[in-house]
Amino acid sequence: MLLEQINQPSDLKRLKVEQLPTLAQEIRQYLIEQLSATGGHLAPNLGVVELTIALHYMYNSPDDKFLFDVGHQAYVHKILTGRKDRFHTLRQYQGLCGFVKRSESEHDVWEAGHSSTSLSAAMGMALARDYKGESNKVVAIIGDGALTGGMAFEALNHIGHEKSNLMVVLNDNEMSIAPNVGAMHNYLSKIRSDRTYVKAKEELEQLLKKIPAIGGKLAKTAERVKDGFKYLVVQGMLFEEFGFTYLGPVDGHDVSKLLETFEQANRVEGPVLVHVMTTKGKGYSPAEADSHKWHGITPYKIESGQVMKAVGNPMYTEVFGNVLMELASQDERIVAVTPAMPGGSGLLKFAEKFPGRMVDVGIAEQHAATMCAALALEGMKPIFAVYSTFLQRAYDQVVHDICRQDANVIFAIDRAGFVGPDGETHQGVYDIAFMRHIPNMVMMMPKDENELRRMMKTAVDYNEGPISVRYPRINGTGAVIDQELTPIPIGQWEIVRKGDSAAILAIGPMIPVAEEASELLKREGLNIRVINARYIKPLDEEMLLQLAKEHLPMVVLEEACLAGGLGGAVLEFYATHHIFNQIVYPIGVPDYFVEHGSIKEQRAEAGLTAEHLVEEMRALLYSRGDNRLSRA
């Protein structure tokens, strides 16, 4: 097998061009087999096999820089750059990352789990190259879906203005995760349909050369004639207007054509854009038939394409989608907004039932947030359904456009907390810290799926400003669902377990952890009060004052970063109320980026387990000289 001979890009260059399609078939089969066991981003990587082979065959990584936008389409790149033997550890705890990671390989020069960053990074690397007087190539590989991100257009504008020598490979598969939307998608569709453009332009050039000389004017205007023809055939030619030389479209599964196009690009001075047409899921029929489902997939059976899913309670995402449909049936003001994640955010059924009230803006979180502000100010009830990690991208809009104007936007923050195999670029542990301090914001987190339903009812009934509900990427607890949806009074916490030895204030999935620790400590004669601190903002001030009155030492437990989290909020409360003798011990995610693995492994690493909590509670009470721990 050819693949067995490839351990570094230099090995690839020993092959003949005629052998590369065979290598592509072997890599494609290798991906299908490996990901059937580990899961991962199958469809995107099946689509870029030949493209990645051609890039490494033509250029010299790591001297030449490859910047993969998002990075989840870099599995083939990993295989060709010496990580084939570790590929079975993909997305596993302490194994290979599912995205590009600089610490893994010198060939990984840019890390990204969020889209639309590659062009700005490529510009930075091109500038650094030029400042240092070097001559290496800089190549950004970006999908058509990522071009809906405004940052990509900012970079296109700057690159074209500076006339920097770099190449952008536009991997056009008509998909990001969900089907692409918007004018850019329609524009690319027009280019795709005009496959005769390049051939026609070449024929026109040949024709002009054959016309007998009729003076210097025709020679001087030849280029303008070709440009006029270009605008006639492909209206706009957006990329050339940005200052790029446009090459393509080219078949992204034809290695020879790709190499020929890259050679042509190498002769171009200034920025060049190579438009590559690929098929997402190429070579595996289930993935080709449903590339949305197979974008990121759990383990599966190769022969049948049957996905191996754990049986359990519905995920919080599904519960959110169902209750939103229920609420939307009662309130015509409700509009669901998502940045290119209708499936991941649980909104596909909503879109079917209320197609006119579902807005997918593409990968454009900033635009989505500001649009939601305007919707709210005009009397609508926008539900901004967004992953915690992607909401980071709209921070300024949340502050400036939503909270400052006190717009009644409802944030449905999915993937709040650890996210498992997606790892450090996607961890949803920062939203409390970057939202809690903003004036006018209300923040909630449910302990179970029934409370999520009640919180969505609370949010829809709330009319006084922005309000957010955050929920994790896990299955629900199997809670009994109330027949009638009732709101939860703003700022009201709940005692879920009584006790007078100490208290644990916990939120979301940390409630069961706190209850388990409380049960373990009960065997040692300690009665630990467990409080569902479901309102992160505003706090339940009455309950906090009562805890201080009882002099109960407390632990604040949250699956969120310690800095700026709920624990900090409780400490701030006591400080501002001049209560200086209250013992508060925050436990949360340490001050580093937690890498990929299972959520269970990530919690264990961060110390968010019942066993660790028991140890901390013992230490806390020992520090007070509590003699009831003498037999612990």
Side-chain angles (χ1 to χ4, degrees):
M1 291 181 62
L2 295 176
L3 183 55
E4 294 177 354
Q5 306 172 29
I6 309 299
N7 295 305
Q8 291 294 336
S10 56
D11 299 329
L12 179 65
K13 298 178 188 298
R14 297 191 183 102
L15 300 181
K16 297 178 180 178
V17 173
E18 295 77 19
Q19 294 177 289
L20 298 181
T22 301
L23 176 63
Q25 291 177 0
E26 292 180 11
I27 291 177
R28 193 165 272 117
Q29 185 60 34
Y30 182 81
L31 285 171
I32 293 168
E33 292 174 358
Q34 291 290 318
L35 269 62
S36 70
T38 64
H41 292 94
L42 180 64
N45 287 284
L46 290 177
V48 297
V49 175
E50 290 86 358
L51 172 58
T52 310
I53 290 173
L55 285 169
H56 275 290
Y57 196 83
M58 174 63 65
Y59 301 106
N60 298 304
S61 175
D63 293 332
D64 294 328
K65 312 297 182 183
F66 296 155
L67 294 88
F68 292 90
D69 204 277
V70 181
H72 62 227
Q73 77 276 39
Y75 291 4
V76 184
H77 166 76
K78 288 176 182 276
I79 291 169
L80 296 176
T81 53
R83 285 166 277 182
K84 182 176 68 216
D85 293 341
R86 294 186 61 211
F87 206 74
H88 65 281
T89 70
L90 184 75
R91 291 164 57 89
Q92 309 300 305
Y93 188 62
Q94 297 184 340
L96 287 180
C97 180
F99 300 90
V100 173
K101 191 167 181 62
R102 287 171 58 87
S103 62
E104 273 187 16
S105 171
E106 63 179 348
H107 298 279
D108 290 5
V109 300
W110 179 253
E111 296 183 8
H114 296 176
S115 81
S116 312
T117 67
S118 62
L119 303 187
S120 296
M123 181 60 181
M125 290 191 179
L127 284 173
R129 174 201 62 200
D130 296 343
Y131 291 149
K132 293 185 291 185
E134 297 172 349
S135 59
N136 60 285
K137 301 290 185 180
V138 177
V139 182
I141 302 98
I142 185 170
D144 51 324
L147 278 183
T148 64
M151 186 175 174
F153 282 94
E154 294 174 19
L156 284 173
N157 182 57
H158 186 216
I159 293 167
H161 173 75
E162 295 290 344
K163 303 297 182 184
S164 300
N165 282 324
L166 63 83
M167 181 168 78
V168 174
V169 176
L170 172 57
N171 174 29
D172 185 356
N173 55 30
E174 303 188 65
M175 292 282 289
S176 48
I177 296 175
N180 290 326
V181 297
M184 173 54 69
H185 169 64
N186 295 333
Y187 172 75
L188 293 175
S189 296
K190 190 177 186 70
I191 295 178
R192 284 191 293 267
S193 65
D194 285 306
R195 295 180 181 274
T196 59
Y197 162 63
V198 174
K199 182 180 179 182
K201 188 174 77 169
E202 291 173 351
E203 290 177 351
L204 175 65
E205 188 173 358
Q206 295 296 324
L207 179 62
L208 289 171
K209 289 179 179 179
K210 292 179 180 179
I211 297 177
I214 56 173
K217 288 186 177 181
L218 182 58
K220 290 180 181 179
T221 58
E223 286 301 316
R224 279 182 287 171
V225 172
K226 285 194 292 181
D227 283 344
F229 181 79
K230 170 176 64 184
Y231 293 124
L232 177 66
V233 177
V234 183
Q235 184 178 358
M237 285 307 295
L238 175 67
F239 300 114
E240 296 212 4
E241 286 298 311
F242 268 114
F244 284 75
T245 297
Y246 172 86
L247 301 176
V250 58
D251 183 354
H253 302 297
D254 187 328
V255 180
S256 296
K257 288 289 185 183
L258 286 167
L259 293 174
E260 179 184 322
T261 306
F262 293 155
E263 287 179 353
Q264 185 179 359
N266 292 340
R267 295 192 292 269
V268 173
E269 283 295 319
V272 58
L273 185 138
V274 178
H275 187 179
V276 176
M277 301 292 302
T278 62
T279 299
K280 203 170 183 180
K282 176 75 172 179
Y284 185 52
S285 55
E288 284 194 48
D290 190 350
S291 58
H292 176 213
K293 171 184 173 182
W294 289 83
H295 172 83
I297 200 72
T298 54
Y300 55 92
K301 293 182 179 179
I302 297 175
E303 296 78 11
S304 63
Q306 179 185 352
V307 178
M308 312 299 287
K309 288 188 176 180
V311 178
N313 299 315
M315 295 190 72
Y316 280 91
T317 302
E318 182 181 349
V319 175
F320 158 73
N322 290 336
V323 72
L324 185 59
M325 287 193 293
E326 189 176 334
L327 292 166
S329 297
Q330 303 164 8
D331 192 335
E332 294 184 352
R333 298 174 300 164
I334 289 176
V335 178
V337 177
T338 182
M341 298 299 294
S345 294
L347 293 173
L348 293 179
K349 291 181 181 178
F350 182 94
E352 292 177 5
K353 188 171 183 179
F354 304 104
R357 293 156 65 184
M358 169 73 187
V359 183
D360 183 351
V361 300
I363 303 175
E365 291 85 359
Q366 294 171 298
H367 163 62
T370 297
M371 185 184 75
C372 282
L375 280 166
L377 294 176
E378 289 300 307
M380 304 300 289
K381 281 278 182 180
I383 315 289
F384 186 15
V386 61
Y387 291 6
S388 171
T389 185
F390 297 145
L391 182 57
Q392 296 165 189
R393 296 158 63 92
Y395 175 73
D396 180 61
Q397 287 68 34
V398 174
V399 175
H400 183 272
D401 299 335
I402 295 177
C403 292
R404 190 183 56 80
Q405 298 188 91
D406 209 12
N408 187 204
V409 175
I410 299 170
F411 295 86
I413 305 174
D414 202 341
R415 272 67 166 172
F418 288 133
V419 296
D422 282 343
E424 58 191 303
T425 59
H426 283 59
Q427 304 288 24
V429 298
Y430 306 110
D431 57 274
I432 293 177
F434 71 72
M435 293 181 75
R436 180 177 69 81
H437 66 277
I438 310 175
N440 299 331
M441 177 63 72
V442 173
M443 296 193 75
M444 303 179 280
M445 188 171 197
K447 73 177 189 295
D448 57 38
E449 53 268 51
N450 186 58
E451 198 164 69
L452 171 58
R453 289 171 50 81
R454 293 186 64 196
M455 285 184 174
M456 285 304 301
K457 171 65 173 173
T458 305
V460 170
D461 286 356
Y462 186 74
N463 296 307
E464 298 178 25
I467 186 167
S468 58
V469 184
R470 62 191 307 270
Y471 44 94
R473 185 190 188 181
I474 59 175
N475 296 93
T477 65
V480 176
I481 302 299
D482 294 342
Q483 292 299 309
E484 182 180 354
L485 270 177
T486 57
I488 302 170
I490 300 294
Q492 185 182 91
W493 290 353
E494 173 192 34
I495 296 174
V496 296
R497 191 179 180 112
K498 296 181 179 180
D500 57 7
S501 300
I504 303 173
L505 278 59
I507 55 172
M510 292 294 99
I511 298 291
V513 175
E515 290 184 294
E516 184 182 349
S518 178
E519 184 61 31
L520 291 171
L521 287 167
K522 185 178 181 180
R523 301 170 190 174
E524 302 174 9
L526 293 166
N527 294 310
I528 307 299
R529 188 179 306 175
V530 177
I531 296 169
N532 174 18
R534 55 196 175 189
Y535 276 96
I536 301 159
K537 185 180 181 183
L539 304 175
D540 189 330
E541 297 189 1
E542 183 178 340
M543 189 174 291
L544 284 172
L545 291 172
Q546 179 61 34
L547 288 166
K549 185 178 181 180
E550 296 179 51
H551 300 292
L552 278 187
M554 68 180 71
V555 165
V556 182
L557 184 67
E558 54 189 319
E559 193 175 277
C561 63
L562 274 172
L566 176 62
V570 173
L571 287 166
E572 291 162 12
F573 171 81
Y574 286 126
T576 55
H577 284 74
H578 296 175
I579 300 172
F580 303 118
N581 60 348
Q582 178 62 43
I583 296 175
V584 179
Y585 180 32
I587 298 178
V589 178
D591 190 25
Y592 65 86
F593 292 107
V594 178
E595 297 188 351
H596 54 281
S598 69
I599 291 177
K600 182 178 180 180
E601 289 166 330
Q602 289 165 342
R603 287 178 180 169
E605 179 182 316
L608 302 180
T609 64
E611 293 77 16
H612 184 260
L613 182 55
V614 166
E615 293 177 7
E616 296 293 345
M617 291 296 293
R618 285 174 179 159
L620 177 66
L621 293 174
Y622 265 129
S623 70
R624 301 177 69 236
D626 195 321
N627 57 18
R628 286 174 295 181
L629 282 170
S630 59
R631 64 179 183 275

